Amino acid sequence: MSEEAPAKKELAAVKGTKDILPAEVGAWQAAEAAVRGTFELYGYRELRAPVLEYTELFEKGTGATSDVVVKEMYTFIDKGGRSVTLRPEYTPSVARAIIEHRLDLQPAPLRFYYMGPMFRYDKPQKGRYRQFHQIDVEVFGEKDPAIDAEIVEMAHALLSRLGVGETKTLVNSVGCEACRPGYHALLRAAAGAKRAVLCPDCQRKIETNPLRIFDCKLEPCREAAASFPRITDHLCPECRDHFDRFRACLDLYGIPFEVDPTLVRGLDYYTKTAFEIVTTKLGSQNAICGGGRYDDMMKEFGGPDICAIGFAMGMERLLAVADITVDRGKFLYIAHLGDEARRAAMTLARQFRRAGIECLLEYKVRGLKAHLGRASKLEASWVLIVGDDELKAGRFPLKEMASGTQTVGTPEDLIRTVNGDA
Ligand SMILES: [Zn+2]
Ligand SMILES: [Zn+2]
């Protein structure tokens, strides 16, 4: 814990967290607007849960064998002596909200999306933060594989809106309660026979969760896993049919995909469909969207027996591959000359803002030349000049900075001019 010692001389953000400064926030806002604009077209609505939950929610929900719970939860005791955790993922909170507010009594399916910070207490490394941001989509109460394809198509709609190209879609089925135990037994036997070449972590997984051996990035484990039986060859008729119909819907949407039987998803409550969208835009292959079905999760929470499917995208990674150009936007600068003019500038600014025009008012007393210099430095689109003579006349010069054109008019005239220009 010595690395955590707060022996800092200067103020600094908490380790693993990061400020999003005004210069970067435009890209975030553009991405968030694209998320809302895209998902709402499909009838999805935002649900905002607290960032803090009782620890047991995630212990139960994320699964006792999940690495997230074992190693990475940001857990602490609050002043009331309760163990609380900053959410490491969104789904358990949503499941809790559905149960708590009996949203399951509303007509199914429920289509939700969420955006916000998640917290994992792992070793901070380049490009990974303890507070990171995620976009999540979830549908509750729809068994039809068409919905699986709908969210994949919707993810692609968002990615194309954000200019993320060079994508590839990987799909798999991880089976269900009926077919998974039989497959696990086969997998255990195959993995057991290769025990000697597997890493200690994977050796443990032979007993606890052999599917997750496919997640191991170590070469000997990957090599061994390549010869293991594939889940797609051992699906029960229901899972097989679901998988076939899911892929037929992707064909209908014209979404090319590859079946990847090693795609198992990180969390334990997945059933049937699993998918991932990867991009090669940053050179190596990066997953930007991962999702799947988890039909048994709500039951395991002690909630109603409703099925669920969803996906998550990491905001930081998405922004790294998105093609977003952020424009500062046009704005008006008011050059006021004298006390009376300064007061008038304040009410004029309000009038322009009410008309939807961004108006920057600085209160420092300056001469006209200094005002124009300042406006040009700030890259104002227009300057409105307010002096004693203009006030008497009720008509003001408006200078368009790029062209140098000057128009004179009443505030109403100038609002029309600016809004016509913008
Ligand atoms: Zn099955
Ligand atoms: Zn391994």
Side-chain angles (χ1 to χ4, degrees):
M1 282 288 132
S2 58
E3 53 148 358
E4 296 307 310
K8 294 237 160 66
K9 269 182 266 151
E10 295 152 47
L11 283 176
V14 168
K15 188 168 186 172
T17 70
K18 182 178 179 290
D19 298 306
I20 302 163
L21 297 173
E24 307 156 69
V25 90
W28 284 73
Q29 289 173 338
E32 286 159 5
V35 167
R36 293 197 172 91
T38 305
F39 296 170
E40 302 220 344
L41 288 177
Y42 293 72
Y44 290 66
R45 290 295 177 266
E46 189 174 3
L47 189 156
R48 299 188 189 183
V51 293
L52 205 58
E53 299 274 2
Y54 292 122
T55 302
E56 62 204 53
L57 178 75
F58 299 114
E59 282 173 345
K60 206 167 158 188
T62 311
T65 60
S66 165
D67 294 348
V68 172
V69 174
V70 179
K71 298 183 201 152
E72 297 181 356
M73 284 212 310
Y74 220 119
T75 297
F76 55 96
I77 304 294
D78 73 5
K79 288 182 178 175
R82 290 165 294 240
S83 179
V84 291
T85 294
L86 294 170
R87 63 182 179 214
E89 57 159 349
Y90 214 97
T91 300
S93 299
V94 176
R96 192 233 352 106
I98 288 174
I99 296 165
E100 188 170 340
H101 305 289
R102 294 311 312 263
L103 301 180
D104 57 298
L105 299 179
Q106 296 177 6
L110 304 167
R111 290 175 159 102
F112 298 137
Y113 72 91
Y114 338 104
M115 279 185 277
M118 310 285 153
F119 302 85
R120 289 189 192 175
Y121 197 85
D122 58 355
K123 273 233 171 319
Q125 41 184 294
K126 195 177 176 291
R128 282 189 70 176
Y129 295 93
R130 287 179 175 172
Q131 177 180 330
F132 58 99
H133 299 78
Q134 215 165 279
I135 300 159
D136 276 70
V137 159
E138 262 158 346
V139 185
F140 294 88
E142 181 58 85
K143 279 193 164 51
D144 196 303
I147 201 84
D148 306 31
E150 175 180 293
I151 65 169
V152 174
E153 198 273 318
M154 191 168 82
H156 278 286
L158 175 65
L159 294 175
S160 78
R161 193 157 168 167
L162 291 173
V164 180
E166 296 156 60
T167 59
K168 191 160 87 175
T169 305
L170 307 172
V171 302
N172 192 24
S173 175
V174 296
C176 70
E177 267 180 337
C179 52
R180 203 144 45 161
Y183 170 68
H184 279 197
L186 290 171
L187 192 55
R188 259 189 204 111
K194 298 259 178 168
R195 179 180 291 271
V197 301
L198 296 178
C199 73
D201 217 23
C202 287
Q203 289 183 8
R204 251 193 316 279
K205 291 177 192 163
I206 298 175
E207 274 72 45
T208 57
N209 193 345
L211 263 187
R212 307 214 27 228
I213 297 175
F214 290 119
D215 285 343
C216 188
K217 301 273 180 277
L218 298 174
E219 202 41 55
C221 299
R222 289 173 62 125
E223 222 169 89
S227 68
F228 291 171
R230 300 294 168 94
I231 178 79
T232 38
D233 297 326
H234 301 276
L235 295 172
C236 69
E238 189 193 313
C239 288
R240 157 71 45 204
D241 179 59
H242 189 98
F243 194 42
D244 289 345
R245 291 200 290 143
F246 165 56
R247 287 178 297 163
C249 291
L250 292 182
D251 287 337
L252 180 70
Y253 286 128
I255 297 170
F257 60 87
E258 269 170 40
V259 176
D260 178 358
T262 67
L263 181 69
V264 295
R265 310 290 310 132
L267 304 174
D268 292 333
Y269 45 61
Y270 282 90
T271 52
K272 295 194 173 91
T273 307
F275 69 89
E276 210 165 81
I277 302 173
V278 298
T279 179
T280 49
K281 207 171 165 185
L282 293 180
S284 63
Q285 185 168 300
N286 275 295
I288 34 170
C289 174
R293 189 167 267 283
Y294 25 95
D295 290 343
D296 300 329
M297 181 198 63
M298 288 295 260
K299 248 188 329 198
E300 278 165 29
F301 270 111
D305 185 7
I306 56 173
C307 57
I309 182 160
F311 68 71
M313 292 187 191
M315 190 65 141
E316 284 83 357
R317 199 177 281 186
L318 185 61
L319 286 171
V321 292
D323 190 5
I324 300 173
T325 40
V326 181
D327 189 358
R328 162 69 178 78
K330 293 190 165 190
F331 70 98
L332 176 97
Y333 178 97
I334 303 190
H336 48 82
L337 308 163
D339 281 351
E340 187 65 25
R342 203 181 94 132
R343 271 194 299 280
M346 290 161 70
T347 57
L348 280 167
R350 179 176 61 183
Q351 195 179 346
F352 276 84
R353 290 172 186 144
R354 299 264 157 111
I357 297 160
E358 181 179 341
C359 194
L360 190 71
L361 186 55
E362 293 194 332
Y363 298 100
K364 196 172 175 186
V365 175
R366 293 185 171 107
L368 182 59
K369 204 173 157 211
H371 267 305
L372 289 173
R374 177 70 180 153
S376 149
K377 192 160 184 209
L378 290 167
E379 298 179 354
S381 318
W382 307 274
V383 176
L384 181 75
I385 298 162
V386 184
D388 290 340
D389 293 346
E390 287 81 11
L391 272 178
K392 267 192 213 102
R395 292 167 59 81
F396 305 87
L398 176 82
K399 188 172 172 175
E400 211 267 318
M401 294 296 274
S403 62
T405 324
Q406 197 157 297
T407 322
V408 179
T410 64
E412 292 75 16
D413 297 335
L414 299 176
I415 283 169
R416 270 194 298 277
T417 306
V418 167
N419 278 334
D421 266 16

